[in-house]
Amino acid sequence: MKMEFSHELEETVRSINEIIRKELPKVEGFQSTVMESITYSLEAGGKRIRPVLILKSYELYKDRYGSEWDAFMRPVLNSFICAMEMIHTASLCHDDLPCMDGDKYRRGRESTWYKYGEAMGTLCGDALLIYPTELTTRIFREQLTKLFSAGLQASAETFNAYTLSFVKALNILSEKSGVYGMLGGQVVDVEMTGKPLSDEQLMFIYKLKTGALLQASLMIGAVLGGATDAELEKMADVGEKIGVAFQIQDDILDETSTVEVLGKPIHSDDENHKTTYVSIYGLEDAHKEVERLSENAVLELQNLTEVNDDCRRFLIELTNMLINRKK
Ligand code: GRG
């Protein structure tokens, strides 16, 4: 019997939280404060949208290559699930700093810098940015070591396929986080604060600042699941649309929601003199654009071929949920 979407999402998030908890660096040593702040930031109850996208886009493709592929890739996938949530959380830590938005509350509790001080808030973000490389490369190395020490004679072809998928995934994660991704979008956002934006500049910010990590999540799952380059392109398209829709919905919520529901300050765009889709086009057109982008993303998901139908259905429901989300 098929699980109801909301129940399946809850179960998926629960399993993702377990995966993340296992990989948190232990709170120990002279530098334990930074580990404590990492745990605090990561366990603050985010929605885990990006990890869910990684997991489900992996499951769209992974059946093609059988259980051997899955046995090798699953721990690698889990490391990317943690890595993505860490980088996302790093961006929230830095975004909340007094030199950026100066927000004191996030995810319903004190933001990291407000609880641990500005220096530790900065270092926590830095740590969450570099730990993903440490984690993903360690897990991949361990998987390769296991493969060889078990005496399994992986063919050169299999070895190359694993390695290529891993390198592509790490490359996507880095590129979409950095100057050609989230960070690049934030740079323009910071520089243009208080100034009018052209449509092109606004879309640049939305695609990069918010869209890049959501897009990267779908791409990383697909690449670890063994999708072809052409299929990867399609996931990139879907991800971009979901990403921009997600940010416009974020703008709508900043205007229409409450601190209690969002767990962070409202009207912050206005107070920070940010030009947003809502401030340019108004709420009604913003709603319409979120719907238009999501419908297009759903259409593209429906057109994917040779993918797992249950995962496709889940991703379509998730896309519909994101446009109607209240937080
Ligand atoms: C750390 C590489 C790096 C760069 C820092 C500060 C910064 C550059 C970027 C900020 C990017 C940013 C905060 C974009 C907003 C994206 C957004 C809408 C976040 C909210 O995501 P949700 O709703 O949050 O998924 P939860 O709390 O549910 O995880």
Side-chain angles (χ1 to χ4, degrees):
M1 202 181 78
K2 288 207 173 103
M3 235 192 274
E4 196 190 321
F5 170 72
S6 59
H7 183 54
E8 191 178 349
L9 178 61
E10 233 172 75
E11 285 300 311
T12 307
V13 170
R14 203 192 320 277
S15 73
I16 282 166
N17 283 335
E18 278 300 304
I19 292 168
I20 294 174
R21 198 163 298 130
K22 266 198 223 139
E23 294 302 345
L24 288 173
K26 284 203 179 66
V27 182
E28 61 187 13
F30 285 125
Q31 76 279 47
S32 66
T33 313
V34 80
M35 282 85 155
E36 197 188 308
S37 66
I38 286 174
T39 306
Y40 175 83
S41 315
L42 271 169
E43 295 204 327
K47 295 184 289 298
R48 312 300 197 206
I49 299 298
R50 295 153 193 81
V52 171
L53 289 174
I54 296 186
L55 184 61
K56 291 297 173 179
S57 70
Y58 172 80
E59 289 177 350
L60 265 182
Y61 296 100
K62 61 105 185 158
D63 292 341
R64 295 177 184 179
Y65 298 94
S67 57
E68 225 173 88
W69 178 277
D70 191 44
F72 182 89
M73 273 305 172
R74 197 56 77 155
V76 178
L77 175 81
N78 290 349
S79 74
F80 276 94
I81 282 174
C82 298
M84 177 57 76
E85 192 64 7
M86 285 177 176
I87 293 180
H88 165 58
T89 305
S91 80
L92 302 181
C93 284
H94 283 178
D95 197 48
D96 290 337
L97 286 170
C99 63
M100 300 241 188
D101 284 355
D103 283 333
K104 294 177 181 163
Y105 294 92
R106 163 77 67 181
R107 292 171 165 172
R109 49 157 117 174
E110 288 176 344
S111 58
T112 311
W113 77 268
Y114 195 56
K115 181 166 175 72
Y116 289 93
E118 211 175 319
M120 204 51 68
T122 309
L123 288 168
C124 178
D126 293 342
L128 283 167
L129 202 49
I130 195 63
Y131 198 73
T133 310
E134 181 179 339
L135 177 64
T136 51
T137 52
R138 170 164 55 77
I139 299 293
F140 185 65
R141 197 188 64 204
E142 282 171 11
Q143 286 304 92
L144 285 184
T145 309
K146 265 193 229 157
L147 191 69
F148 293 120
S149 66
L152 296 172
Q153 293 304 309
S155 68
E157 205 184 326
T158 309
F159 173 81
N160 288 346
Y162 289 155
T163 306
L164 194 59
S165 288
F166 171 76
V167 171
K168 279 185 183 171
L170 192 56
N171 180 248
I172 293 166
L173 184 68
S174 320
E175 184 186 316
K176 298 289 177 187
S177 306
V179 290
Y180 300 110
M182 175 177 63
L183 190 141
Q186 178 76 355
V187 168
V188 181
D189 191 42
V190 166
E191 275 186 342
M192 296 306 290
T193 295
K195 298 178 190 153
L197 289 177
S198 66
D199 276 359
E200 202 187 348
Q201 286 165 324
L202 186 76
M203 278 307 119
F204 179 91
I205 293 172
Y206 283 23
K207 280 182 190 167
L208 270 65
K209 183 182 94 160
T210 307
L213 284 196
L214 291 156
Q215 185 187 43
S217 302
L218 282 174
M219 292 171 76
I220 288 168
V223 91
L224 294 177
T228 63
D229 285 347
E231 288 169 328
L232 195 56
E233 282 297 308
K234 286 190 184 149
M235 292 313 269
D237 274 353
V238 175
E240 186 173 285
K241 292 188 175 80
I242 293 179
V244 174
F246 191 88
Q247 180 56 55
I248 300 177
Q249 183 65 13
D250 207 66
D251 299 345
I252 294 173
L253 294 176
D254 185 66
E255 188 80 12
T256 58
S257 189
T258 62
V259 179
E260 291 72 28
V261 174
L262 280 189
K264 63 178 184 179
I266 53 164
H267 304 307
S268 71
D269 292 331
D270 214 18
E271 274 157 34
N272 290 321
H273 311 288
K274 294 257 167 91
T275 304
T276 67
Y277 198 94
V278 171
S279 71
I280 299 178
Y281 298 103
L283 276 173
E284 203 184 315
D285 281 1
H287 278 298
K288 281 189 195 149
E289 184 61 2
V290 172
E291 263 173 38
R292 188 188 70 80
L293 287 164
S294 312
E295 277 166 14
N296 285 343
V298 167
L299 217 59
E300 288 187 35
L301 286 168
Q302 277 163 346
N303 287 336
L304 297 178
T305 50
E306 292 175 64
V307 294
N308 180 296
D309 267 329
D310 286 339
C311 291
R312 184 212 308 271
R313 176 194 48 81
F314 182 94
L315 283 170
I316 290 174
E317 296 215 42
L318 185 70
T319 306
N320 289 329
M321 185 212 85
L322 290 179
I323 67 165
N324 295 310
R325 75 187 206 277
K326 299 284 176 264
K327 63 181 232 174

